[in-house]
Amino acid sequence: MQDQEVKLLGTWSSPYVLRIRWALRIKGIEYEYIEEDLRNKSPLLLEYNPVHKKVPVLVHKGRAIAESLVILEYIDETWRDNPLLPRDPYDKAMARFWCKFGEEKLSPPIWRVFVTQGEEQKQAYASAMENLEILEKELEGKRFLSGEAIGLLDIFFGSLAYIIPMYEEIIEMKLVDPSKLPWLSKWMEEFLNSPVVKDTLPQKDKLLPRYLAIRDTFLAKRE
Amino acid sequence: MQDQEVKLLGTWSSPYVLRIRWALRIKGIEYEYIEEDLRNKSPLLLEYNPVHKKVPVLVHKGRAIAESLVILEYIDETWRDNPLLPRDPYDKAMARFWCKFGEEKLSPPIWRVFVTQGEEQKQAYASAMENLEILEKELEGKRFLSGEAIGLLDIFFGSLAYIIPMYEEIIEMKLVDPSKLPWLSKWMEEFLNSPVVKDTLPQKDKLLPRYLAIRDTFLAKRE
């Protein structure tokens, strides 16, 4: 049945698209992947995500869903095996709380560290470190953020695990220093090397120039 | 049983706290309301929401939950009668999508219209109108954002329905003009006059000076 098909619209380097790929893989769902060129958006993307015109977009039975966290919850509620979220409402609330924390408190300063320099970068760095330490405390004593297995929280923060080492290499600054954030550092390594994630990551020699160009573009804008 | 009790930590003027009051009322849940003074935060608030130190906080069976949307979903999953979210995963995803839209695209420019002036305000106004028109289209033909009855989406955007008329009065500018946004305008009126909402709203003569002071504080910071 054609309309049973699952499609994913993405771009190869996007950390948000990777979240969906990991979730679909954990669930064992076959899907068609459609690469988008964001400088030349396809009619399909504009039709499926008219509000934001961004990836990822998941299309299931011909109906489109946008926003990575919304897609992750949809996947978990539609295919119930290998749950990504705990079933208990309180535990689920905690997972959602930490996702919101990541989105609002962690991703923005880490992004700013990457695309600024000087005093602005210093301030962003202080804010990133403060919030990474909060996450470190939350992770203490656990193997994964979701407990003993990779779950929604790991997938959600996994986009940072994927992007941080590249940021660190480009700006020559350590964000997740094993001596200061041992749990996070260990988690990042284990997550990135897990069977679910390992061979989904873009090659570094392809990724690095892409992100170098992004940083240069942002720095140029601010001059 | 003491630990079965539901407590809500809030401040009387907060639109986010009102969301939780509306949801608890729809569900018919008795609760103890604890007023917080955010200039002098209580040990209870610091204990229950150490990460953000903000209201609302819901405490159920001695366990605390923060962030209004997270609380709303918890309430809906814990007390199943009078559902706030649709049960179908796709419809649920759509509701979550629009909440995210409200949080990211609508609330920030509306807030900026309120606390700025001149060119900055003009830009914020344009952005607010653009996104209000998107919401208007989404609402077209419906009584409530959630359909025929008040649901999570109405509660979520209800905080804007509550705050916008006051902003409009203070800055002497129309955001939701009935001639331009007829569906939104009608929805706002019906929502604010609904039995669930009506007598929960703070008195205007108490609220207005509070928000006037907020605007003055922000304008002074920018000078």
Side-chain angles (χ1 to χ4, degrees):
Chain A
M1 283 192 293
Q2 203 196 340
D3 68 355
Q4 289 284 344
E5 274 174 9
V6 178
K7 291 192 184 92
L8 174 63
L9 278 62
T11 53
W12 63 271
S13 62
S14 160
Y16 307 107
V17 173
L18 278 173
R19 286 177 180 163
I20 313 306
R21 301 186 79 132
W22 298 330
L24 291 169
R25 178 176 270 210
I26 288 173
K27 294 285 186 177
I29 299 160
E30 299 282 323
Y31 63 96
E32 179 190 350
Y33 175 75
I34 301 167
E35 177 74 16
E36 280 290 327
D37 176 0
L38 295 184
R39 286 159 302 182
N40 181 21
K41 297 176 182 182
S42 76
L44 209 63
L45 178 61
L46 302 179
E47 182 198 330
Y48 282 143
N49 190 5
V51 174
H52 303 297
K53 305 168 186 73
K54 289 192 304 186
V55 292
V57 174
L58 187 84
V59 187
H60 180 219
K61 299 184 183 178
R63 299 192 296 184
I65 303 150
E67 298 289 342
S68 66
L69 186 55
V70 175
I71 298 172
L72 292 176
E73 290 227 37
Y74 175 81
I75 289 172
D76 202 35
E77 286 167 3
T78 302
W79 295 277
R80 311 284 289 178
D81 288 345
N82 304 326
L84 303 176
L85 273 173
R87 290 287 170 251
D88 174 74
Y90 182 79
D91 296 339
K92 211 185 275 191
M94 289 304 100
R96 291 186 181 126
F97 173 87
W98 285 108
C99 286
K100 202 165 160 52
F101 169 82
E103 234 167 20
E104 289 180 358
K105 297 283 182 178
L106 211 48
S107 295
I110 288 174
W111 170 252
R112 284 203 307 281
V113 169
F114 180 60
V115 294
T116 62
Q117 53 193 0
E119 190 50 41
E120 205 177 346
Q121 189 182 45
K122 218 174 130 184
Q123 280 181 21
Y125 186 82
S127 166
M129 288 314 295
E130 187 189 326
N131 289 303
L132 281 168
E133 276 157 23
I134 291 174
L135 192 65
E136 169 81 6
K137 255 196 194 160
E138 179 56 23
L139 187 59
E140 207 179 305
K142 291 181 201 156
R143 185 171 171 203
F144 293 108
L145 283 159
S146 307
E148 272 311 296
I150 288 174
L152 188 129
L153 265 183
D154 301 280
I155 289 173
F156 195 81
F157 284 97
S159 57
L160 286 175
Y162 151 71
I163 218 78
I164 283 176
M166 199 178 32
Y167 286 179
E168 289 178 333
E169 187 165 335
I170 291 175
I171 60 174
E172 295 175 351
M173 241 177 180
K174 204 72 187 160
L175 278 157
V176 179
D177 185 331
S179 69
K180 285 179 195 150
L181 301 167
W183 288 96
L184 265 174
S185 165
K186 205 172 133 270
W187 167 80
M188 266 173 64
E189 208 191 313
E190 189 161 0
F191 179 79
L192 294 175
N193 286 298
S194 67
V196 166
V197 173
K198 204 175 180 178
D199 61 359
T200 62
L201 301 176
Q203 281 184 310
K204 204 171 136 185
D205 59 349
K206 208 179 149 197
L207 205 53
L208 218 57
R210 173 107 167 192
Y211 274 84
L212 258 169
I214 291 175
R215 176 163 155 86
D216 287 345
T217 307
F218 275 86
L219 288 180
K221 266 194 215 161
R222 281 161 191 264
E223 260 162 23
Chain B
M1 288 189 288
Q2 203 195 342
D3 68 356
Q4 289 285 348
E5 274 174 9
V6 177
K7 291 191 183 95
L8 174 63
L9 280 62
T11 54
W12 63 270
S13 62
S14 160
Y16 307 107
V17 173
L18 278 173
R19 287 178 180 163
I20 313 306
R21 301 187 80 134
W22 298 328
L24 290 169
R25 177 176 271 209
I26 289 172
K27 294 285 186 179
I29 298 160
E30 299 281 323
Y31 63 96
E32 180 189 350
Y33 176 74
I34 301 167
E35 177 73 17
E36 279 290 328
D37 176 0
L38 294 184
R39 286 161 302 185
N40 181 21
K41 296 177 183 182
S42 75
L44 207 62
L45 178 61
L46 302 180
E47 182 197 331
Y48 281 142
N49 190 5
V51 174
H52 303 297
K53 306 171 185 73
K54 289 192 304 190
V55 293
V57 174
L58 187 84
V59 187
H60 180 219
K61 299 185 183 179
R63 298 192 296 183
I65 303 148
E67 298 290 343
S68 67
L69 185 57
V70 176
I71 298 173
L72 291 176
E73 290 228 37
Y74 175 81
I75 289 173
D76 201 36
E77 285 167 3
T78 302
W79 294 278
R80 309 286 285 182
D81 287 345
N82 306 325
L84 304 176
L85 274 173
R87 289 287 168 253
D88 173 74
Y90 183 79
D91 296 338
K92 211 185 274 189
M94 290 304 100
R96 289 185 182 127
F97 173 87
W98 286 109
C99 287
K100 203 165 158 54
F101 170 82
E103 234 167 21
E104 288 179 0
K105 296 285 181 179
L106 211 48
S107 295
I110 289 175
W111 170 251
R112 283 201 310 280
V113 169
F114 180 59
V115 295
T116 61
Q117 52 193 2
E119 190 50 40
E120 205 177 347
Q121 191 182 44
K122 216 174 131 185
Q123 280 181 21
Y125 186 81
S127 165
M129 289 313 295
E130 187 189 327
N131 290 301
L132 281 168
E133 276 157 25
I134 292 175
L135 192 64
E136 169 81 6
K137 253 195 195 162
E138 179 55 23
L139 187 59
E140 208 179 303
K142 292 182 200 157
R143 183 170 173 203
F144 292 108
L145 284 159
S146 307
E148 273 310 297
I150 289 174
L152 188 129
L153 265 183
D154 301 280
I155 290 173
F156 196 81
F157 283 98
S159 56
L160 287 175
Y162 151 70
I163 219 80
I164 282 177
M166 198 179 33
Y167 286 179
E168 290 178 331
E169 187 165 337
I170 291 175
I171 60 173
E172 295 175 352
M173 241 174 181
K174 204 73 186 161
L175 278 158
V176 179
D177 185 330
S179 69
K180 285 178 197 151
L181 302 167
W183 288 96
L184 265 174
S185 166
K186 206 174 132 266
W187 167 79
M188 266 174 63
E189 208 192 314
E190 188 160 1
F191 179 79
L192 294 175
N193 286 299
S194 68
V196 166
V197 173
K198 203 173 181 177
D199 62 357
T200 62
L201 301 176
Q203 283 184 306
K204 203 170 136 185
D205 59 349
K206 210 179 147 196
L207 203 53
L208 218 56
R210 172 104 168 194
Y211 274 83
L212 259 169
I214 291 174
R215 174 162 155 88
D216 287 345
T217 307
F218 274 86
L219 288 181
K221 266 193 215 163
R222 281 162 190 262
E223 263 162 21

